[in-house]
Amino acid sequence: MVAMKQKIGSKELFAKHYESLKKLKFYDGLVAYMATSPVVAMVWEGLGVVKTGRLMLGETDPAKSLPGTIRGDYCIEIGRNICHGSDSVASANDEIALWFDDSELCHWTPSNSAWIYE
């Protein structure tokens, strides 16, 4: 993890964040709902982190998520699926730029990384 913060995002911020979903029926409700309470935004780095994160989250539609995933265990409806995960490195970079200034990112190398990565 290279960054984390709790923040109440505005409807405008969430509208930008979820812009790729604008044509879907749950978009307006999702944007309004997300702006009602704080969120914890995080930035993770690592080999395959986007793919691994998506596996941990489960499918966007909780009804299609496997047990043991966050959405499979804790969600019922798409518009209330508890957490968001970027679907690509490119979208992650765009989303990180919405939520964090470069100065807030703490890039570091864990001491055990030589034992984990080639």
Side-chain angles (χ1 to χ4, degrees), residues 14 19 25 30 53 72 79-80 82 87 97:
F14 284 108
E19 191 169 22
K25 68 178 184 173
L30 175 63
R80 303 291 188 268
I82 294 181
D87 60 4

Side-chain angles (χ1 to χ4, degrees), residues 55-88:
L55 289 172
M56 292 168 61
L57 289 174
E59 299 292 324
T60 300
D61 181 349
K64 296 177 182 174
S65 293
L66 294 173
T69 64
I70 295 168
R71 292 173 180 160
D73 289 352
Y74 300 106
C75 305
I76 297 171
E77 295 189 51
I78 290 176
R80 303 291 188 268
N81 66 13
I82 294 181
C83 49
H84 169 82
S86 303
D87 60 4
S88 69

Side-chain angles (χ1 to χ4, degrees), residues 19 28-29 34 39 50 52 60 63 67 78 96 103 111:
E19 191 169 22
D28 290 332
M34 291 301 295
V39 298
V50 172
T52 301
T60 300
I78 290 176
I96 291 165
S103 65
S111 61

Side-chain angles (χ1 to χ4, degrees), residues 8 13 15 37 40-42 46 58-59 66 89 117:
I8 297 177
L13 177 61
S37 65
V40 176
M42 294 182 273
E59 299 292 324
L66 294 173
V89 173
Y117 299 106

Side-chain angles (χ1 to χ4, degrees), residues 81-118:
N81 66 13
I82 294 181
C83 49
H84 169 82
S86 303
D87 60 4
S88 69
V89 173
S91 65
N93 288 331
D94 291 342
E95 293 167 0
I96 291 165
L98 282 174
W99 291 90
F100 294 91
D101 294 326
D102 285 340
S103 65
E104 295 177 293
L105 303 178
C106 181
H107 299 283
W108 61 288
T109 302
S111 61
N112 66 346
S113 86
W115 293 51
I116 299 169
Y117 299 106
E118 291 184 48

